[in-house]
């Protein structure tokens, strides 16, 4: 295994711009890279002996590769120096800049167009942005973080289309891609790579068997309510209600269809597996992985989606921890 941790510094002198780079791999004690499928920028933390840091400071651009695989590119946002002569750094990818708040009104726009507009406003670089085939009738967001705007819209588009897409920073380019094109063929299981796991089944966090959407009726001045529920799972689990207010320009048929889609998406037992394993450099959150763990009933290979992946490089070893969830009801 070989890896590189490159820092690049841009210096402007009049009309002349120069970029200097340095590889800190040999003096880096530990590196952790974490990606999550929703709501968070990619994050890399690492520590270096202070006598070797040179110009490695807040604002520096850093990138990390392992065995030629591009794993992270971003900027240092935090540095901590300690008495024992070690400096610790925290870097984030481009998604960190989307934590800025803004207000937008989008009409009849696909998610890729929404992402491109926000990226242009914040001078961020985009790569491949997939066509999802769904246009938001009206999307109104006031004083919200751009990260929340995009991920809320992504979740809604996934529910509307039934196809899972992943939005992430691909080594310096904002990317929207269907997970069918994001996969590894390396089997992860109790006889392959896995060193430990925890299997959880719950209806505590993201399970609902009644969906209630309300919208203000401009003509009557009252509020119209739209409710869909599953009586069978209510009898088993009790009533778990999802509630939201619709502010978009949607007609009754569209709101009823959205209710149905929400119920289809959330009316299930959420099954989560947290796994510790030998590292696979190309694996990140939002990818499809083949899983087989016979002791929890996955006797045949199942393709599951990674929700969170953390890679750790320390002492010449590469390990990873990942969280996968079961989405049988979705395509992709």
């Amino acid at each position: 295994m070989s890896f590189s941790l490159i820092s690049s510094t841009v210096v402007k002198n009049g009309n002349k711009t120069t970029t200097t780079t340095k590889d800190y791999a040999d003096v880096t004690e530990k590196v952790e890279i974490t990606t999550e499928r929703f709501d968070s920028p990619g994050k890399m933390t690492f520590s270096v002996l202070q006598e070797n840091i040179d110009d490695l400071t807040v604002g520096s651009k850093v990138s990390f590769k392992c065995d030629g695989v591009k794993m992270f590119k971003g900027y240092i946002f935090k540095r901590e120096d300690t008495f024992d002569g070690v400096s610790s750094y925290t870097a984030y990818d481009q998604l960190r800049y989307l934590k800025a708040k803004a207000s937008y009104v989008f009409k009849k726009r696909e998610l890729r167009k929404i992402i491109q507009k926000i990226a242009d406003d914040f001078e961020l670089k985009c790569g491949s942005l997939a066509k999802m085939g769904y246009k938001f009738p009206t999307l109104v967001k006031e004083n919200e973080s751009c990260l929340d705007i995009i991920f809320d819209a992504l979740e809604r588009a996934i529910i509307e289309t039934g196809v899972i897409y992943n939005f992430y920073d691909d080594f310096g380019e904002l990317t929207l891609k269907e997970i069918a094109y994001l996969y590894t063929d390396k089997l992860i299981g109790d006889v392959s790579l896995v060193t430990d796991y925890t299997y959880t089944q719950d209806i505590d966090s993201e399970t609902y068997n009644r969906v209630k959407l309300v919208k203000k009726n401009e003509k009557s001045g009252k509020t119209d309510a739209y409710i869909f529920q599953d009586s069978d799972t209510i009898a088993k689990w009790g009533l778990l209600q999802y509630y939201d207010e619709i502010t978009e320009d949607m007609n009754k048929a569209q709101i009823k269809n959205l209710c149905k889609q929400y119920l289809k998406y959330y009316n299930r037992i959420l099954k989560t597996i947290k796994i510790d394993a030998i590292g696979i450099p190309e694996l990140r959150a939002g990818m499809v992985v083949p899983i087989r763990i016979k002791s929890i009933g996955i006797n045949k290979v199942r393709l599951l989606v990674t929700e969170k992946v953390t890679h750790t490089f320390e002492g010449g070893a590469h390990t990873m921890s990942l969280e996968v969830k079961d989405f049988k009801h979705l395509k992709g």
Side-chain angles (χ1 to χ4, degrees):
M1 178 187 69
S2 64
F3 70 87
S4 62
L5 197 163
I6 305 295
S7 170
S8 59
T9 305
V10 177
V11 178
K12 290 185 177 182
N13 185 5
N15 294 326
K16 186 178 181 180
T17 300
T18 58
T19 301
T20 59
T21 62
K22 181 176 179 179
D23 192 344
Y24 288 87
D26 290 341
V27 294
T28 300
E29 295 186 333
K30 181 180 180 181
V31 178
E32 281 193 354
I33 299 173
T34 299
T35 54
E36 298 187 48
R37 194 166 74 92
F38 273 102
D39 302 331
S40 298
K43 177 182 177 182
M44 179 171 72
T45 61
F46 60 98
S47 55
V48 178
L49 293 175
Q50 289 174 10
E51 62 187 37
N52 296 298
I53 59 176
D54 290 346
D55 295 326
L56 193 60
T57 185
V58 171
S60 296
K61 182 184 289 187
V62 288
S63 61
F64 186 91
K65 298 179 184 179
C66 176
D67 292 337
V69 177
K70 298 176 180 178
M71 297 186 64
F72 180 89
K73 178 181 281 188
Y75 297 86
I76 294 174
F77 273 76
K78 184 179 180 181
R79 168 180 167 174
E80 292 182 336
D81 298 324
T82 60
F83 180 77
D84 59 3
V86 175
S87 293
S88 299
Y89 297 87
T90 301
Y92 296 99
D93 61 23
Q94 279 193 115
L95 268 64
R96 169 61 179 79
Y97 296 99
L98 294 175
K99 294 179 75 172
K101 290 187 176 182
S103 297
Y104 288 98
V105 177
F106 297 106
K107 293 185 178 181
K108 296 181 179 179
R109 290 237 197 152
E110 286 189 50
L111 181 56
R112 64 189 180 97
K113 296 291 186 180
I114 293 173
I115 293 171
Q116 187 68 67
K117 168 60 177 171
I118 295 175
D120 289 345
D121 288 348
F122 287 87
E123 301 180 0
L124 302 176
K125 185 178 180 180
C126 287
S128 174
L129 298 175
K131 295 180 180 180
M132 295 187 70
Y134 173 76
K135 292 183 178 181
F136 292 87
T138 304
L139 186 65
V140 180
K141 296 291 185 178
E142 295 184 5
N143 195 30
E144 293 188 30
S145 81
C146 295
L147 202 62
D148 287 342
I149 292 172
I150 292 173
F151 277 114
D152 286 351
L154 173 61
E155 184 174 23
R156 167 72 176 278
I158 289 172
I159 291 172
E160 289 281 0
T161 63
V163 180
I164 306 176
Y165 286 77
N166 192 26
F167 173 63
Y168 62 103
D169 184 314
D170 185 9
F171 208 69
E173 295 183 343
L174 298 181
T175 301
L176 179 67
K177 193 172 288 188
E178 185 179 347
I179 66 163
Y181 303 103
L182 297 169
Y183 61 89
T184 178
D185 57 3
K186 294 179 180 177
L187 177 65
I188 298 175
D190 42 15
V191 294
S192 174
L193 302 179
V194 172
T195 57
D196 195 10
Y197 68 82
T198 302
Y199 178 51
T200 304
Q201 303 178 67
D202 81 80
I203 58 171
D204 185 41
S205 53
E206 298 178 26
T207 298
Y208 305 99
N209 47 29
R210 172 189 282 178
V211 175
K212 181 176 182 180
L213 301 180
V214 298
K215 184 180 181 185
K216 186 175 180 180
N217 189 315
E218 299 295 339
K219 292 183 178 179
S220 67
K222 298 180 181 179
T223 298
D224 296 331
Y226 302 83
I227 300 174
F228 281 79
Q229 65 183 36
D230 184 334
S231 299
D232 290 339
T233 55
I234 289 175
K236 292 178 182 178
W237 309 333
L239 195 155
L240 301 167
Q241 179 170 283
Y242 177 95
Y243 176 91
D244 198 7
E245 296 181 7
I246 301 297
T247 58
E248 300 176 37
D249 185 17
M250 300 176 67
N251 57 38
K252 290 183 179 180
Q254 289 172 324
I255 298 175
K256 286 182 179 180
N257 182 66
L258 184 59
C259 260
K260 291 179 181 179
Q261 294 299 329
Y262 273 136
L263 186 63
K264 180 181 178 182
Y265 185 84
Y266 287 116
N267 183 38
R268 77 286 188 261
I269 297 172
L270 185 61
K271 300 176 181 180
T272 305
I273 313 170
K274 294 182 179 179
I275 296 170
D276 293 330
I278 297 170
I280 302 173
E282 66 267 25
L283 194 62
R284 61 165 297 125
M287 290 183 66
V288 176
V289 293
I291 302 287
R292 183 176 62 201
I293 303 178
K294 295 182 179 181
S295 55
I296 58 176
I298 306 179
N299 298 315
K300 296 182 179 180
V301 175
R302 289 279 309 281
L303 298 179
L304 300 178
V305 182
T306 53
E307 293 294 304
K308 181 177 181 180
V309 178
T310 297
H311 293 271
T312 301
F313 298 84
E314 187 175 20
H318 174 201
T319 59
M320 65 182 181
S321 60
L322 59 145
E323 181 179 310
V324 295
K325 291 184 179 179
D326 192 351
F327 288 95
K328 285 184 179 179
H329 55 295
L330 292 177
K331 300 176 288 182

